[in-house]
Amino acid sequence: MKIVIVLAAALIVSTGAACAQDVAAGENSFKKCSICHSIGEGATNKIGPELNGLDGRKAGTVADFSYSDANKNSGIVWNEASFKEYIKDPKAKIPDTKMIFTGIKNDKEVDDLWAYLKQFDAEGHVKKIMPR
């Protein structure tokens, strides 16, 4: 009986790890974005705005970036749900956005990309994760 319990626990833990967001994979996926965006310490606006502090930031508010009126007036506050909806098809979410990226359709890749992006605070530092 103990063996069955240990095996069941191992299966649950390994399944959870397999479903977890993968920051390293998200960093790799960000290469698609880095043509237009930057993130981390020293990030600057490029063709698109820098993405530091994206989680919780109101769309269209990065200083010194020229946003479309559609983006500025979208009312979006970036969080996991709004980002995932947007990144799958940016023009569907904000029809008159200047962003020309066609989107990322793969749910796992979107999850991983969000895990990578959300770890950066507004200054580009990786947020410290507090132990529970």
Side-chain angles (χ1 to χ4, degrees), residues 19-22 54-55 76-90 92-93 101-118:
C19 294
Q21 296 174 333
D22 184 341
L54 186 64
D55 190 15
I76 293 172
V77 174
W78 296 114
N79 59 35
E80 186 170 3
S82 61
F83 173 80
K84 287 179 176 183
E85 184 180 353
Y86 178 80
I87 202 63
K88 288 183 178 184
D89 188 353
K93 182 71 175 169
F101 185 65
T102 59
I104 298 173
K105 310 301 187 226
N106 180 286
D107 289 336
K108 176 71 170 116
E109 185 177 0
V110 171
D111 287 347
D112 295 342
L113 180 57
W114 177 250
Y116 176 70
L117 295 174
K118 74 177 182 182

Side-chain angles (χ1 to χ4, degrees), residues 28-42:
N28 189 51
S29 181
F30 184 73
K31 290 175 184 173
K32 295 175 183 177
C33 311
S34 67
I35 296 165
C36 298
H37 297 278
S38 62
I39 197 164
E41 292 184 46

